């Protein structure tokens, strides 16, 4: 094992990823990967439609409009037409804004939230077919997942949001495919992207909105990095190693094995390990939420029956969703609540379910939920499979002295427990119906599923807008 500062073969990552992107096309991607990618895309689109009812969406839309740039690209669920860069930014914000979008578990990367906005904007601008856009989306997801997975959860431990840091590289490779970059240009584009990679976890301090914009920043910046490389702008050839490359810069001092980034590249597909979320909160909380709902139902428990709840996670997850414990028990906003294990477990226990309604102002002030959250504690679970899976469990001590527990090694939605097409369609419909009709939802779903046969993205670009 080499330390991050001693990785001397990282340039092969840039070269290998560029060669992979250059050779990839729709026909080189297995049908199972394409089929699942369509579900991920539909899931993302439904979430983007639902996001328009929240303030962050109107703020983001107003900001993009204030820049004065119009263009041909639709905003998902919106009425605006923007330039490719601005549409990519705003669509990334909309897909990720509710924290309801898919996650590659091992890398902790929200892949689709950047890859889809990139593929839509860059694909439409470059007159791509549906198959070309899908191939670029898949390559972006694949590269981002592989680049992130070797960090073993350490980006967040150091205060960096993995999606913000990593997804720009995958998006740049996908955007380069759609712009017909040469391999040499794709290598340089990754080096340019290195100077644009960013993402702070400071939002956890006060529930600020900055995490929401990270995927959009990656998608938008990848389009710029690609354009610069296409026009001869020189970026470092070694994006990932050297003295100040990606891994030495962001994981300084960590022991790294970089071989998984390129191992079986093009034959083993990490996209199939993308987890579509069943709950609109941080993925770290899901197994505990499922566990507490299971226990409440199995034992016919009510909140008043509970003396104490102990939630079990891996200790490397504590800083994101468990600490500081006193603040996590009383979230001040919906975004605070999404990253509070204590609140999410208490709300799931009290209501027997958890959807967007459990994040509205009424739920955040619910006395029963807040009282129960005060009785939620957390411990390290040595049997956790984190970061491969977001494992978790619950132990409930009742007021009568009984103790019951339930554990889930693999969170629902992860590869071995993936949501099927029916479940994804139900989630899609629920999200779409927050802002449009069932017939409109059906039209959007059908157009996404028909993407492999689309000669251009013209109809999809039109149908994704609020006007349809």
């Amino acid at each position: 094992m080499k330390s991050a500062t001693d990785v001397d073969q990282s340039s092969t990552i840039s070269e290998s990823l560029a060669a992979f992107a250059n050779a990839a096309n729709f026909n080189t991607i297995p049908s199972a990967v394409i089929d699942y990618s369509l579900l991920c895309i539909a899931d993302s689109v439904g979430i983007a439609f639902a996001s328009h009812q929240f303030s962050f969406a109107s703020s983001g839309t107003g900001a993009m409009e204030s820049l004065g740039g119009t263009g041909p690209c639709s905003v998902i669920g919106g009425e605006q037409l923007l330039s490719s860069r601005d549409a990519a930014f705003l669509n990334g914000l909309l897909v990720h804004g509710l924290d309801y979008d898919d996650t590659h578990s091992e890398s902790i990367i929200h892949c689709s939230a950047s890859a889809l906005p990139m593929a839509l904007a860059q694909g439409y601008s470059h007159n791509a077919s549906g198959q070309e856009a899908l191939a670029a989306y898949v390559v972006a997801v694949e590269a981002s997942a592989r680049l992130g997975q070797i960090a073993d959860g350490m980006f967040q431990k150091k205060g960096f949001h993995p999606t913000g840091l990593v997804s720009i590289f995958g998006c740049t490779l996908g955007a380069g495919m759609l712009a017909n970059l040469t391999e040499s240009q794709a290598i340089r584009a990754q080096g340019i992207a290195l100077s644009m990679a960013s993402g702070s976890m400071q939002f956890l301090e006060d529930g600020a909105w900055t995490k929401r914009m990270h995927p959009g920043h990656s998608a938008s910046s990848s389009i710029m990095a690609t354009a610069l490389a296409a026009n001869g702008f020189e970026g470092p050839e070694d994006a990932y190693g050297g003295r100040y490359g990606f891994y030495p810069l962001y994981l300084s001092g960590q022991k790294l094995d970089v071989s998984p980034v390129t191992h079986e590249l093009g034959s083993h597909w990490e996209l199939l390990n993308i987890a579509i979320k069943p709950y609109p909160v941080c993925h770290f909380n899901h197994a505990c939420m499922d566990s507490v709902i299971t226990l409440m139902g199995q034992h016919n428990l009510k909140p008043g029956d509970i003396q104490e709840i102990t939630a079990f996670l891996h200790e490397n997850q504590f800083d994101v969703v468990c600490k500081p414990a006193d603040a996590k028990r009383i979230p001040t906003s919906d975004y605070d609540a999404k990253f509070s294990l204590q609140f999410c477990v208490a709300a799931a226990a009290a209501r027997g379910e958890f959807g967007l309604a459990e994040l509205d102002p009424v739920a955040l002030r619910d006395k029963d939920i807040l009282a129960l959250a005060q009785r939620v504690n957390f411990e390290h679970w040595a049997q956790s499979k984190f970061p491969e899976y977001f494992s978790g469990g619950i132990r409930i001590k009742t007021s009568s002295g009984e103790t019951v527990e339930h554990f889930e090694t693999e969170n629902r939605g992860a590869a071995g427990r993936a949501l099927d097409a029916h479940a994804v369609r139900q989630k899609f419909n629920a999200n779409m119906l927050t802002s449009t009709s069932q017939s409109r939802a059906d039209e959007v779903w059908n157009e996404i599923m028909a993407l492999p046969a689309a000669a251009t993205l013209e109809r999809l670009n039109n149908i994704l807008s609020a006007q349809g």
Side-chain angles (χ1 to χ4, degrees):
M1 302 276 281
K2 299 176 180 180
S3 73
T5 53
D6 291 332
V7 174
D8 58 5
Q9 297 298 319
S10 295
S11 62
T12 60
I13 295 177
S14 295
E15 294 166 357
S16 295
L17 290 178
F20 167 60
N22 187 262
N25 60 61
F26 184 84
N27 294 322
T28 66
I29 301 170
S31 59
V33 175
I34 294 295
D35 291 345
Y36 192 62
S37 72
L38 292 172
L39 294 181
C40 292
I41 288 170
D43 179 57
S44 300
V45 167
I47 296 164
F49 268 85
S51 287
H52 282 279
Q53 63 186 300
F54 294 90
S55 297
F56 69 83
S58 58
S59 292
T61 300
M64 292 302 100
E65 289 182 316
S66 73
L67 295 176
T70 60
C73 298
S74 291
V75 174
I76 301 173
E79 299 178 359
Q80 300 74 22
L81 289 173
L82 300 174
S83 69
S84 60
R85 283 181 300 165
D86 290 351
F89 179 91
L90 187 52
N91 284 333
L93 173 68
L94 293 170
V95 173
H96 188 53
L98 298 180
D99 228 281
Y100 208 178
D101 52 308
D102 62 42
T103 313
H104 180 262
S105 301
E106 195 168 358
S107 65
I108 324 175
I109 304 292
H110 294 269
C111 295
S112 291
S114 57
L116 175 60
M118 174 280 299
L120 290 175
Q122 185 81 332
Y124 186 66
S125 297
H126 286 77
N127 200 34
S129 68
Q131 291 187 0
E132 289 168 336
L134 276 170
Y137 163 85
V138 170
V139 165
V141 169
E142 195 68 22
S144 294
R146 286 169 170 272
L147 288 166
Q149 69 182 358
I150 67 171
D152 198 27
M154 290 308 298
F155 285 129
Q156 288 176 317
K157 290 288 286 185
K158 287 179 172 285
F160 301 119
H161 180 213
T163 300
L165 291 186
V166 176
S167 60
I168 186 172
F169 296 106
C171 283
T172 298
L173 289 160
M177 291 172 62
L178 293 167
N180 293 315
L181 292 191
T182 65
E183 282 190 37
S184 177
Q185 289 171 328
I187 291 170
R188 293 291 190 179
Q190 292 171 81
I192 296 169
L194 173 62
S195 285
M196 301 175 176
S198 64
S200 165
M201 296 288 285
Q202 182 68 4
F203 69 91
L204 289 172
E205 294 297 300
D206 55 11
W209 294 354
T210 48
K211 177 178 180 287
R212 290 176 157 125
M213 74 180 192
H214 291 167
H217 171 75
S218 292
S220 179
S221 297
S222 75
I223 293 172
M224 182 180 292
T226 297
L228 287 166
N231 283 275
F233 196 88
E234 294 189 3
E237 291 188 352
D238 186 353
Y240 307 102
R243 286 189 298 164
Y244 307 116
F246 181 66
Y247 293 122
L249 190 63
Y250 289 107
L251 292 177
S252 176
Q254 298 298 312
K255 297 292 183 180
L256 288 183
D257 175 10
V258 299
S259 63
V261 176
T262 55
H263 181 63
E264 296 183 326
L265 185 61
S267 58
H268 171 81
W269 296 88
E270 286 297 329
L271 188 143
L272 295 176
N273 292 322
I274 296 288
I276 295 176
K277 282 188 175 184
Y279 297 122
V281 301
C282 179
H283 234 138
F284 287 1
N285 297 334
H286 287 206
C288 290
M289 295 165 70
D290 273 346
S291 294
V292 80
I293 290 173
T294 296
L295 289 172
M296 297 294 285
Q298 285 181 346
H299 300 279
N300 196 28
L301 296 173
K302 301 294 186 288
D305 300 328
I306 297 173
Q307 179 177 330
E308 182 183 36
I309 297 176
T310 302
F312 292 87
L313 292 178
H314 192 282
E315 61 188 2
N316 283 349
Q317 298 170 281
F318 290 172
D319 287 344
V320 177
V321 295
C322 301
K323 297 178 179 179
D326 289 343
K328 292 291 187 182
R329 292 189 176 103
I330 312 175
T332 59
S333 69
D334 63 327
Y335 215 57
D336 266 348
K338 290 173 184 286
F339 293 90
S340 166
L341 179 69
Q342 293 89 331
F343 178 85
C344 289
V345 166
R351 298 195 171 183
E353 60 183 1
F354 200 109
L356 294 175
E358 280 59 56
L359 293 165
D360 67 23
V362 174
L364 296 179
R365 295 191 298 267
D366 188 301
K367 293 181 180 179
D368 290 336
I369 293 175
L370 294 176
L372 187 54
Q374 294 295 319
R375 305 197 294 276
V376 178
N377 299 303
F378 58 92
E379 291 185 15
H380 171 64
W381 186 28
Q383 287 72 45
S384 171
K385 299 299 183 182
F386 179 83
E388 181 180 2
Y389 302 116
F390 300 143
S391 310
I394 292 290
R395 178 181 295 146
I396 296 177
K397 184 177 181 180
T398 70
S399 54
S400 64
E402 181 185 10
T403 298
V404 295
E405 58 184 32
H406 180 86
F407 292 84
E408 297 194 353
T409 301
E410 186 174 359
N411 54 292
R412 183 162 57 99
R417 302 181 63 196
L419 301 187
D420 61 19
H422 176 70
V424 176
R425 181 73 181 269
Q426 285 186 313
K427 177 185 172 183
F428 170 85
N429 284 339
N431 284 325
M432 291 291 292
L433 291 177
T434 62
S435 62
T436 192
S437 65
Q438 184 61 61
S439 61
R440 179 92 167 84
D442 291 342
E443 188 178 18
V444 172
W445 176 275
N446 291 336
E447 188 64 28
I448 293 170
M449 293 303 119
L451 194 54
T456 72
L457 300 185
E458 180 75 31
R459 179 168 166 77
L460 181 64
N461 185 65
N462 292 338
I463 207 170
L464 289 181
S465 74
Q467 301 301 319

